[in-house]
Amino acid sequence: MSDILNDNKKDGSAIPIRFTRLYMTLLVILTTLLTVGQGVTQWRLSTVQDELWVIRYAALQRHQSQQIVKQALQLTDVNERNSFAETIAELQQVFPDFERYHLQGREGKVYERNVSVPNSETVQQLYGDIRPEFEAFQQSVRRLMTLQKPEDITQPDMQASLKLLLANEKPFLEKIDRIVREYTGELRAKLELLQAFEFYQYVFTMLVLIGIGFLIFRPAARRLRETFAQLIEAESRSTAANRKLLSANKSLKETRQQLFEATKEQYQQQIDEQKTQTSYLIAGQEEERKRLSRELHDGLGQMLTAIKLQIEGLEVGLARMAPAVQDEKITYPKNLQILKRLVTQTIQETRTISNNLMPSVLSDFGVIPAIKMLAENDRSETIDVTFETNLSADGPRLDKNVEIMLYRVTQEAVSNAVRHANPSHIHIQLMDRDDALQLLITDNGRGFQMPRRQTAGSLVKSSDDALTTKTTAGRPPSQGLHNMQERAKLLNAKFKINSTLGKGTRIQVSIPHQMHPAHHDSN
């Protein structure tokens, strides 16, 4: 074994294999030993239990023989004649069991328990010695069991049977005691042998366990201590490396966080710049609208009005000259009336364009009168435009940018519905709900196919819809929707649009607001 350990030291890779083989060999030996010992022990205990049943039935014959003699004597007692029949019945019940137990004991069997234990030669010889006494018991008891009445016991043959029974009682008891003692001695010898076997098995098992301890566990423990020392050292190195990795990971996370913050800040800055640019662009558009509206109203409108006045003056002058000019009194007034009507229509269209560019009612009185006037102007014989609000026109004005956004979104939505959806009814709602101002425009027109993507209540256009204002069947006016969305985004408003083909369109804008007086420029 020391050679094995030396070889293990020389060849570390062979140690686990050799330990395993040695351990498995000793474990098989130990298992086999325990199994064989347990099997032998169980077999011997089963045999002992069978022999105990044989001893018990043999010892029971002593008691039964005494009971038979007692009942035989009761038959001769004059005082017991009243219980004669009961005594005969008890005798007839006890004797067959006594006879059966004795005959089974000769064979070493107990049929009631399915037990069969071959008798030793000594026991067989003892059963041979007791045979005359047993046969005398048989002969006597069988004659006594033939008694019919108490007086028959006085007959000479019955008296002879009784004397024979009493004469063989003591020899039978002595011999049956020797049989029981022989059984008990043999059983004790077997138990001592089993005890010795158990002791030797215990000693051998302990030797095997000691061998396993010295030959396997002791070298394995030493090897394990060395392995644990190496593992502890490796763990120390791993811990140091983990600390370095954690430090590097922490630095990486900090760098990543800084990069994320920088990217986020840059992205937010780009969004703010884009929002600022869009705000400036929309503000510039509004200023340009205001300038064009003012120029149309003050410049072109005044010039057209002057032309109209000149035409009216010319018409009056021609009317005065009519008697002198008989040939042209019909042609000139007709042409002047057509020209006058065209100038009047031009003036009206100029005022409409000027009002659409920048309605003076929006700057002077606020968004509520402006939307109300927009609804009234867009009414026609085929389209019913209604406006509903819970705000008071005499209340505090909204912020200028909020009013412009609400008006432009309403104007664009109504214009798109009138031009493209062919509705019969357009309903505009402007409500103050839970510290938020909500604008809702619905129509029952033809509707359109919604773009494929829609996130957070904001319309996301597909590439083929971008930068187009034309609307075909089932396609939305993308540029107008984009403008409305951008205007709402500048004021952090939520913009939602839902449309179903054949059922109409619903546009909703919700913006947090504060009702407060605000300064507004007037035209």
Side-chain angles (χ1 to χ4, degrees):
M1 188 55 61
S2 61
D3 293 337
I4 294 177
L5 293 177
N6 292 331
D7 293 339
N8 288 338
K9 292 179 180 179
K10 294 179 181 178
D11 188 8
S13 61
I15 288 177
I17 299 177
R18 294 176 182 177
F19 274 154
T20 302
R21 290 177 180 174
L22 185 58
Y23 175 75
M24 292 301 297
T25 302
L26 294 177
L27 184 61
V28 169
I29 294 174
L30 182 61
T31 304
T32 304
L33 180 62
L34 292 175
T35 304
V36 172
Q38 186 67 20
V40 172
T41 301
Q42 294 297 325
W43 173 69
R44 292 306 302 166
L45 288 176
S46 177
T47 304
V48 168
Q49 290 178 354
D50 294 342
E51 293 180 358
L52 286 175
W53 282 109
V54 175
I55 294 172
R56 179 185 177 188
Y57 276 64
L60 190 60
Q61 296 176 41
R62 175 185 176 88
H63 171 71
Q64 290 174 336
S65 64
Q66 292 176 344
Q67 189 175 4
I68 290 171
V69 172
K70 177 183 176 182
Q71 292 170 349
L73 292 175
Q74 287 179 352
L75 294 175
T76 62
D77 191 355
V78 178
N79 299 324
E80 296 291 337
R81 289 186 177 183
N82 294 329
S83 59
F84 177 81
E86 296 179 0
T87 305
I88 291 295
E90 292 178 0
L91 188 61
Q92 291 175 350
Q93 182 179 1
V94 174
F95 179 74
D97 293 339
F98 167 76
E99 186 179 25
R100 185 174 67 255
Y101 292 163
H102 187 84
L103 294 176
Q104 290 180 3
R106 288 180 183 179
E107 300 176 1
K109 296 180 180 180
V110 178
Y111 292 110
E112 290 81 354
R113 300 294 177 179
N114 196 22
V115 172
S116 178
V117 180
N119 291 327
S120 64
E121 295 181 359
T122 304
V123 173
Q124 292 178 0
Q125 184 177 358
L126 290 174
Y127 269 109
D129 294 341
I130 203 175
R131 184 184 293 269
E133 287 79 4
F134 174 72
E135 291 177 352
F137 260 78
Q138 279 184 317
Q139 181 181 355
S140 301
V141 175
R142 287 177 180 176
R143 289 292 304 274
L144 291 174
M145 287 191 301
T146 60
L147 290 173
Q148 299 296 325
K149 52 187 177 179
E151 292 80 8
D152 294 343
I153 193 64
T154 60
Q155 295 178 3
D157 56 343
M158 294 297 175
Q159 290 293 322
S161 297
L162 183 60
K163 290 179 181 180
L164 180 63
L165 178 64
L166 295 176
N168 288 278
E169 177 189 5
K170 184 177 181 180
F172 182 83
L173 291 175
E174 292 175 351
K175 290 182 179 181
I176 199 68
D177 284 342
R178 285 199 296 269
I179 291 174
V180 173
R181 285 196 297 270
E182 182 63 26
Y183 270 133
T184 306
E186 291 179 358
L187 181 59
R188 185 179 295 109
K190 292 177 181 179
L191 290 175
E192 290 176 354
L193 180 61
L194 179 61
Q195 184 178 6
F197 176 78
E198 290 289 337
F199 175 74
Y200 289 125
Q201 182 189 9
Y202 170 76
V203 172
F204 187 74
T205 303
M206 293 303 298
L207 291 176
V208 172
L209 291 175
I210 293 173
I212 291 176
F214 276 97
L215 300 179
I216 296 178
F217 291 117
R218 187 178 179 183
R222 184 172 60 252
R223 184 71 179 177
L224 285 175
R225 283 195 297 270
E226 296 175 357
T227 304
F228 283 148
Q230 295 175 359
L231 288 175
I232 292 172
E233 183 180 357
E235 184 180 5
S236 300
R237 293 197 298 267
S238 177
T239 302
N242 286 335
R243 290 197 186 98
K244 293 181 181 178
L245 287 176
L246 289 175
S247 178
N249 190 23
K250 184 177 180 181
S251 300
L252 180 61
K253 286 183 178 180
E254 292 176 354
T255 304
R256 184 182 299 173
Q257 184 65 26
Q258 293 175 359
L259 179 61
F260 175 76
E261 294 294 338
T263 305
K264 182 179 179 181
E265 183 178 356
Q266 183 180 3
Y267 178 71
Q268 187 64 37
Q269 184 177 1
Q270 291 177 355
I271 292 178
D272 294 340
E273 290 178 356
Q274 183 179 2
K275 186 179 290 188
T276 302
Q277 293 175 359
T278 305
S279 177
Y280 288 157
L281 179 61
I282 292 178
Q285 290 178 351
E286 293 298 329
E287 291 296 328
E288 186 66 17
R289 286 170 180 265
K290 185 185 296 185
R291 185 185 66 81
L292 290 175
S293 175
R294 186 181 298 111
E295 289 182 358
L296 287 175
H297 185 272
D298 297 340
L300 183 59
Q302 297 295 333
M303 293 175 63
L304 290 174
T305 301
I307 292 175
K308 181 181 178 182
L309 294 176
Q310 291 295 327
I311 292 174
E312 291 176 350
L314 180 60
E315 185 179 12
V316 172
L318 290 176
R320 293 176 180 176
M321 294 173 58
V325 186
Q326 295 294 331
D327 296 335
E328 297 179 1
K329 65 179 179 179
I330 298 174
T331 303
Y332 288 145
K334 182 177 180 180
N335 293 336
L336 287 176
Q337 289 177 1
I338 295 174
L339 180 60
K340 179 181 177 182
R341 186 167 60 253
L342 289 175
V343 172
T344 302
Q345 293 176 355
T346 303
I347 293 173
Q348 185 63 36
E349 185 67 21
T350 302
R351 290 178 179 175
T352 301
I353 294 174
S354 175
N355 186 67
N356 288 335
L357 287 174
M358 180 55 67
S360 59
V361 66
L362 176 63
S363 301
D364 296 339
F365 303 104
V367 68
I368 297 174
I371 295 178
K372 186 181 296 184
M373 186 178 68
L374 177 66
E376 293 174 354
N377 291 338
D378 286 330
R379 284 197 192 100
S380 64
E381 296 180 356
T382 59
I383 301 177
D384 180 27
V385 182
T386 58
F387 174 60
E388 178 185 359
T389 183
N390 61 356
L391 299 177
S392 175
D394 299 331
R397 293 279 298 276
L398 299 176
D399 183 77
K400 173 184 176 181
N401 295 325
V402 174
E403 289 189 341
I404 293 176
M405 184 272 290
L406 293 174
Y407 181 79
R408 293 303 181 191
V409 169
T410 305
Q411 185 183 36
E412 184 69 30
V414 173
S415 176
N416 287 338
V418 170
R419 287 184 294 173
H420 308 297
N422 192 24
S424 62
H425 180 262
I426 301 174
H427 185 60
I428 306 170
Q429 281 185 331
L430 181 61
M431 298 294 177
D432 183 11
R433 296 174 178 171
D434 299 331
D435 296 331
L437 195 63
Q438 187 178 85
L439 175 65
L440 186 64
I441 305 104
T442 57
D443 67 73
N444 60 351
R446 67 183 65 179
F448 56 85
Q449 184 73 34
M450 292 293 294
R452 293 181 180 179
R453 293 176 297 165
Q454 189 173 5
T455 58
S458 297
L459 182 66
V460 181
K461 301 175 295 302
S462 54
S463 59
D464 57 346
D465 291 333
L467 300 178
T468 175
T469 56
K470 295 182 180 180
T471 301
T472 59
R475 292 185 60 188
S478 306
Q479 187 61 44
L481 297 179
H482 176 73
N483 292 338
M484 288 189 285
Q485 180 185 358
E486 290 298 324
R487 287 181 178 274
K489 188 187 299 183
L490 288 177
L491 299 178
N492 297 322
K494 295 181 180 179
F495 179 84
K496 295 181 181 180
I497 179 170
N498 292 312
S499 184
T500 305
L501 287 174
K503 294 184 178 181
T505 303
R506 184 176 185 269
I507 297 175
Q508 179 179 344
V509 179
S510 297
I511 178 172
H513 73 289
Q514 292 181 352
M515 303 294 293
H516 59 85
H519 175 71
H520 293 266
D521 295 333
S522 59
N523 291 331

